[in-house]
Structure formats: structure tokens, C-alpha cells
Amino acid sequence: MESEISFEDLGLDEQTLAAVARKGFQTPSPIQVLAIPRLLNGDTNLIAKARTGTGKTAAFGLPIVQTLHEQSDHVRALILEPTRELAVQTCTEMQSFANGKFPRTVVVYGGASMGEQIRDLRRGADIVVGTPGRIQDHLERGTLDISKIDYFILDEGDEMLDMGFIEDIEAIFAQANPQSRILLFSATIPAPILKIAQKFMGEYEIVEEEGVTEEPLLIDQKYWVVRENEKVEALVRLIDMSPDFFGLVFTQTKADADLVSQQLDKRGYEVAALHGDIPQGQREKILARFRSKKTRVLVATDVAARGIDITGLSHVVNYSLPFDGSTYVHRIGRTGRAGAAGCAVTFVRPDEKRKLMYLQSAVRKASKGEMTAGTIPSIDTVLGIKRERMFNEMKEAIGLVPAAAETAVDAAAGSAGADSIPAADDEDEIIPLDTPVTEPAEAAAPEDAVPAAAAEADDAAAVPETKLITPQPIFTKMAKELCDGQDPEAVLAAVLSVTYGKALDASHYGEISVINSAGRASNSNQVRLYVQLGRRDGYNARSIADYFSSLLHIPGRMVDRIDVAMNFSLVSLPSSEGTRALDMSKRDSSMPHMHIDIKDEGKGSRRGNRGGSRFRDREHDGFGSEDRFAVGRSRRGGHEGRRESPFGGRSGGFRSSHGRPNVHVPTERAGSAGLYKRKGAAADTF
């Protein structure tokens, strides 16, 4: 069997190998095997095709640090990075390779103090890492001289071209030592990269890591078809059903990044937003918290996320569909690294099916991965997964589940068969596999049974003994007080309910519509209501949501698809809550009239007779022309068409010549919308 290549084989000296050992590197990556010997033993300019996360910083950093061991009176290496985050990260990495005072590495980037950077450069720098714009600033001020550098490294070349840095790069090249060795690292090698090579690099060699198309195979790529206003609900379910979720959520706009972050924060998630309007100091704090996993969800735009290289991400979520295949591949490439599996989930609106097909085709060309359709998990499924995880964590915390017990029981179950594992009588009852299984006391022992002592020893070896933690005396006293005169099991159930009830409350989640093959959204768990509250009464969508939230004691997000007209509104509520609202309206004459909007049928439009069509065109899609309906009402005789609603209360309107209800026209009555709002305010309803 062929032995693996080691760092010693690449020509690194003892001092550099000591730095490698400190970093914990075991074996060199493919790009390191290709680049390090060439940089140590030759003088050829080099173009290396390497993705972010493949160890390319060490590929050029280790040879440079080994070469620049001695103090110098001028800058000897310049490293250009496309973003501030990547510049800081590369500087930190280069400093970690040094095994002494030299080489000295300084980082410069926009958004930070120019004065402090000037002082750092004047104290002496052998390696300067920076972004093109700030490097240009220092060159123009005369605070940086690159006329004597030995190495010019252009990192993430394709990213810098995409961000429009080509002119800055050419201007920097013009002031650099023409005899310097040029190293260009890029995930792709488009024509502009080769143009730079031909203009500035002279003779050069191209090296490319092998197996570049294999990485996406480790990423489970799914897409969920979901309405725009239900994406946050889908994201919440994804987070809660994924143990130890640690991921990036990509949005197209800064406003979306802020909105998603705010909504997740309101629900108690450890989240932060990152985009171009975030000040540099705050950006660094956000990234530091994210790297330490104090923040579990980072919502970012593509531009803000460029250069972020954080290991261990479990998920990448495309909250907004990316514009092209290369952006998609670049996004999802942040997970599934270093042999670890990752998950990429893309949210697709019903009207983006054509764009999705194009993206799938581009992804197939860019990698061997495949983006397949996924199903948004139901609330019951998410709660079941969440409940079992929390239950197991609690048992482990109090000592009911030893660290080695799960493996031992799983092994025993595999050898004994599925019949050895007790089944739950009910889907809601969870009996984890690590629950000890006891044999019935009356089971007869076979003639050739082993002695009881030996059997007990075998059992002890198979399943480690559990032992509850020893609580502090104060908690023992509290437990006795709680259980005094009570059923201990009922007391424990009550304590669990108080402790976990809020986290496992179904109202934490909103309903998500099912998208049919025609791209229409439907939700069999919702009911569409006509409500006699409109703009004339001072209501908008937000106040309608607040009204039902206060009336029914439900989260405002459960009041869905709110359409507000001048005299009335249409809202969708969970079926049970909608039925309750109808019943309350029927029994309380001071409440606004409500009835089921039977013409909606959960499809987002009202179809039927001529009057219904006119409503759809003029009202449902814009709710901007009440005057036309007011005129029609007056010609029909105003209130003469009033009739009893089958759902309680009275409603104004008229019938068509065919006897079917036509466009419903609300009328003033006792307990009208305006009167209700005044009464409601007095009753502190809002």
C-alpha cells in the first residue's frame, strides 16, 4: 500500500514543522502537496486553482514564513484579499505559522483606524495582508512601499474580479517590484485571471488540486417550495429539527437579512445579521461570536459573507434563490468540508420553478451533486424530534444515561433483533432505545442457563450502571416539600410541563401552505374569514393581526393572508381558532360581523359569478376601488338587501338574478366596526 505524503516530505525545515505540529495539521492537503515544494525549490510564478477551505493559506504561507525568518528593513511580501474578514483571517493564520519574532505580519483594511495601521507599518512589517482599496490608500500616502517585495500573492482572485477590483489590482501591480514572485490562488480560472497572468506574470505554472468536483457529494442538497411570507416559518422548523444547528442563511437584500434576524431573535434564537451597513467594529464582534458558536444562526448577504471561512457549519440555507449556479455552489461550499457531511436547503417560491430548473442544470455542470425536492416537516414531526432530543439531554444531565450506555444498548438491540425494543403505544409517547429492558420476573430459566451471578455480570458489562447525580441539599428539601401529600409522578410531570412546556408549545410554529402542482397555495388547516373591519374604521393589516391575536390569545403570525378593504377585511386563521372567532361573533352583538369566505377556497382568489369576478379584479388584487361598490349599493336600494348570515349576525348585500350571493356589501348596524373599535379600546382590547 502506498504511504501517505507527510509535511516532512515537502521540504519544510524543523522550525516550520514545529509550527505545523502546533497547528495540529496531520497530513498535507492536495493543494499543499502541489504548491509547497514548488515555492521552496523554484522561482516560477504560480497559478493555483484551489477552493476556499482546502488549506491554500498554508500552501503559500508555510513556504513564505520559512523563507522570511530573518529581520528586514522593508516589506518582503504582499498578500491581497478581497474582504476585510478574509484579510484578518489570513493575517492571523500567517502569524500562527511564525515560530519567533519574525516574520512580522501586519493587516490593513478599510473601516479600521488609518492612524493605527500607519503606526503598525512604521514599527516594521515583513508581510502585509490587506484589501485592495486600503492598500491603494497606503501607497498613495507613502506609508507603504512595495517596490522591494519578494512575493506578491493574489488570493481569491476570481472573487476580487467579481467584486470589481481589477483596476485596483493593476494599479498595485504597477507599483510592485517587477522581479517579485507572483502567486495567484483562485477557485476558478476565468479569462480575466489569465489576462492578468499574461500581463504581469511572465512565465508561470498552473497547478490544480484533484477531486475538485467531489466535495458537493458530501452535501445533502434539498429545496423546499414555500411562499415568501412563510419562509421564516420553514426556517424555524429546519432549525428546531436539526440538532446543534450552526449555519449561514443567505438573503439577497440587507432589508431581508435584518427582517429574518429580527423575527428569529423574537422567537428566542441566537442569531445575528451581517451586511454592508454593519460597521466594521460590530462586524468583527458578530463574526467572533459566530465562530465561538455563541451565535448559532448568521443571516448574511452574499457580499457581506465573502471571505468568511468558518469551519464546522452544519447548514447553509438559501433563504433567497441565488442568481446563478456559481453563487449557489460558492454558498453551499461553506459546509460539508474536510470530509464532514453538510446540508444545504434552498427556499423556492412557487413562481420560481423555471429559475429553479435553470439552477439545477447549472449545479449539475458545476459538480456531481444534485439538488432534489424536499418536504417541509409538519409541526408534529418537529415537536417529536425536539421533545426526544430534550428528553434525552435531560436524562443524560441527571445521570440516567451513561456516556457508554447508548452504544452498548444499540449493539445489544442489533444482536437481539427489533423485538427486544419495547414499542410505544402512542406516537406521542417516546421510549428511547437506551431505556433498560427488564425481563418478566416469572420467566422460567432454561436447563442450561448460566449461574445467576454470571448472568448479572454479563448484563453489567453489556449496559453500564446508571447513577443519578447527587443534588444539593436545598433541592432535596424543595423536592420533599413539593411531593408532600402529592403523587410524586404527577409533581414531576407538572415540573416538566413548566420547564419544557413553552419550548414544546405548538403555537411557536405557524401554518405553512401546501403548494400543489399548479403552484397554488392551499392549507386545509386554515379557514378564510370575512370580517367587517376595514380601512374606514382605522384598520390596516398589522392592526387586524393584533386584533385577532388579542381576541383569541394567539401569536400574530397565525393570522395569515390579511387583505384589508375600505369596509371589510379577509383573513386566514387556523381552523379551530377561526371557528372560535365565528362563535364569539355570533354570541356577542358588539363584535364585528364575520362569516366564512366561501369563494376563496384557499386559492387566494375569488371566483364565481360576474360580481365575484369584479371583486377579484378591483378589490382582492388591489383593494383600491370602494366607490364603485358604494354606487352599486345605492342603486340597489342600500340596506334593503340586508339578510341573515348563516354564520350569525346580519350582513348587508344583494343576490344575483340566479339566486346566488353576489358581491357582499357591508352595512352599518349596531355593533358596527367603528363602534366596536371604540368599545374595544375602552375595554382595553388592544
Side-chain angles (χ1 to χ4, degrees), residues 59-337:
F60 64 75
L62 290 172
I64 290 176
V65 168
Q66 177 167 313
T67 304
L68 307 181
H69 273 321
E70 298 180 356
Q71 183 178 2
S72 175
D73 60 355
H74 61 269
V75 176
R76 301 188 61 187
L78 175 67
I79 305 174
L80 285 185
E81 298 287 355
T83 67
R84 291 169 282 193
E85 290 79 18
L86 197 53
V88 172
Q89 180 178 307
T90 299
C91 177
T92 303
E93 194 80 351
M94 295 295 291
Q95 289 171 340
S96 71
F97 296 151
N99 194 9
K101 293 183 179 180
F102 305 103
R104 299 160 297 179
T105 305
V106 171
V107 60
V108 296
Y109 53 86
S113 169
M114 175 67 78
E116 186 175 340
Q117 292 177 1
I118 292 174
R119 286 191 292 272
D120 289 340
L121 291 171
R122 286 176 176 170
R123 279 194 289 265
D126 303 298
I127 302 172
V128 174
V129 186
T131 54
R134 184 50 63 98
I135 293 293
Q136 276 276 73
D137 291 342
H138 282 286
L139 291 174
E140 291 171 0
R141 288 169 176 260
T143 53
L144 175 63
D145 180 10
I146 58 174
S147 62
K148 299 179 182 179
I149 61 172
D150 299 315
Y151 295 94
F152 190 121
I153 299 96
L154 188 64
D155 194 15
E156 300 285 0
D158 53 352
E159 286 293 319
M160 281 198 266
L161 293 177
D162 290 342
M163 296 173 72
F165 286 136
I166 183 64
E167 293 182 357
D168 289 341
I169 293 171
E170 291 180 347
I172 294 170
F173 264 121
Q175 298 188 56
N177 177 13
Q179 304 302 318
S180 63
R181 192 171 184 184
I182 301 173
L183 314 175
L184 197 159
F185 286 77
S186 181
T188 61
I189 307 181
I193 292 286
L194 296 177
K195 183 179 179 181
I196 289 178
Q198 294 168 1
K199 186 173 182 179
F200 297 102
M201 296 181 71
E203 293 185 358
Y204 59 86
E205 183 180 0
I206 297 179
V207 296
E208 180 179 355
E209 58 175 338
E210 297 179 356
V212 70
T213 61
E214 297 299 322
E215 185 175 1
L217 292 176
L218 298 174
I219 303 174
D220 181 22
Q221 302 176 56
K222 300 289 185 185
Y223 69 86
W224 290 355
V225 180
V226 58
R227 294 166 60 199
E228 183 67 32
N229 64 331
E230 295 174 343
K231 285 183 177 180
V232 171
E233 297 296 341
L235 180 58
V236 165
R237 296 190 191 185
L238 175 63
I239 294 172
D240 281 357
M241 71 176 295
S242 309
D244 300 322
F245 184 97
F246 179 49
L248 268 170
V249 179
F250 284 97
T251 63
Q252 294 286 24
T253 66
K254 303 171 187 176
D256 280 346
D258 284 333
L259 179 63
V260 173
S261 176
Q262 290 167 6
Q263 293 198 30
L264 291 179
D265 181 65
K266 287 180 180 178
R267 299 202 194 185
Y269 296 95
E270 298 162 339
V271 62
L274 191 68
H275 52 70
D277 290 345
I278 304 294
Q280 179 61 26
Q282 188 177 347
R283 288 165 64 93
E284 293 174 357
K285 292 179 181 178
I286 289 172
L287 287 174
R289 287 185 60 84
F290 189 56
R291 286 191 179 95
S292 63
K293 294 189 177 181
K294 293 179 181 178
T295 297
R296 309 291 299 192
V297 186
L298 183 62
V299 187
T301 57
D302 286 296
V303 173
R306 279 176 177 162
I308 295 178
D309 185 19
I310 295 176
T311 59
L313 293 181
S314 64
H315 288 75
V316 168
V317 180
N318 294 303
Y319 188 88
S320 304
L321 206 61
F323 291 118
D324 51 57
S326 61
T327 301
Y328 173 84
V329 173
H330 191 72
R331 284 181 178 182
I332 70 170
R334 289 175 167 85
T335 185
R337 291 181 174 180

Side-chain angles (χ1 to χ4, degrees), residues 404-664:
E406 187 172 352
T407 304
V409 174
D410 286 346
S415 61
D419 293 337
S420 299
I421 303 174
D425 296 330
D426 182 316
E427 286 186 356
D428 292 331
E429 184 182 359
I430 298 174
I431 301 181
L433 296 182
D434 54 5
T435 301
V437 181
T438 57
E439 295 295 332
E442 64 271 21
E447 294 181 0
D448 57 349
V450 296
E456 290 178 2
D458 291 341
D459 289 342
V463 181
E465 182 182 356
T466 61
K467 184 178 180 181
L468 281 171
I469 62 172
T470 303
Q472 297 178 20
I474 183 63
F475 295 114
T476 301
K477 181 180 178 181
M478 291 169 65
K480 289 181 179 179
E481 184 176 341
L482 286 173
C483 295
D484 186 23
Q486 303 290 334
D487 180 3
E489 186 173 329
V491 171
L492 178 57
V495 171
L496 291 174
S497 178
V498 171
T499 305
Y500 296 113
K502 187 175 181 180
L504 298 175
D505 188 354
S507 65
H508 179 75
Y509 307 95
E511 294 291 340
I512 295 180
S513 304
V514 177
I515 309 298
N516 59 28
S517 58
R520 294 184 182 276
S522 61
N523 193 333
S524 59
N525 295 322
Q526 286 189 335
V527 61
R528 186 78 163 158
L529 295 185
Y530 168 101
V531 184
Q532 198 172 339
L533 293 174
R535 291 199 302 270
R536 182 170 294 170
D537 307 300
Y539 283 87
N540 56 25
R542 176 62 181 271
S543 56
I544 289 289
D546 290 343
Y547 163 59
F548 279 103
S549 175
S550 177
L551 178 69
L552 301 171
H553 305 292
I554 60 175
R557 63 178 178 274
M558 297 178 71
V559 187
D560 194 16
R561 295 172 58 204
I562 304 172
D563 293 323
V564 184
M566 187 63 69
N567 293 321
F568 64 95
S569 300
L570 300 175
V571 299
S572 293
L573 292 170
S575 296
S576 60
E577 307 302 336
T579 302
R580 189 153 60 93
L582 287 171
D583 185 58
M584 294 171 69
S585 176
K586 182 177 180 180
R587 288 186 284 104
D588 188 350
S589 61
S590 68
M591 286 183 59
H593 166 70
M594 303 180 195
H595 67 248
I596 293 177
D597 182 39
I598 57 176
K599 295 179 182 178
D600 179 74
E601 298 177 352
K603 297 180 180 178
S605 64
R606 297 166 64 92
R607 303 187 181 277
N609 54 33
R610 183 176 178 182
S613 176
R614 184 173 62 179
F615 175 89
R616 181 180 70 253
D617 296 339
R618 299 296 297 252
E619 282 290 322
H620 198 269
D621 293 340
F623 290 84
S625 182
E626 281 291 326
D627 293 339
R628 181 176 179 181
F629 290 95
V631 172
R633 179 176 59 186
S634 65
R635 286 202 300 264
R636 292 275 181 171
H639 299 275
E640 295 176 3
R642 183 178 293 174
R643 65 184 185 279
E644 290 295 324
S645 166
F647 304 102
R650 294 172 294 173
S651 62
F654 56 85
R655 291 182 176 271
S656 69
S657 58
H658 300 288
R660 295 189 301 271
N662 207 313
V663 179
H664 180 83

Side-chain angles (χ1 to χ4, degrees), residues 43-65:
D43 56 5
T44 307
N45 295 326
L46 190 69
I47 296 179
K49 185 176 179 181
R51 302 153 294 159
T52 300
T54 55
K56 59 183 175 59
T57 304
F60 64 75
L62 290 172
I64 290 176
V65 168

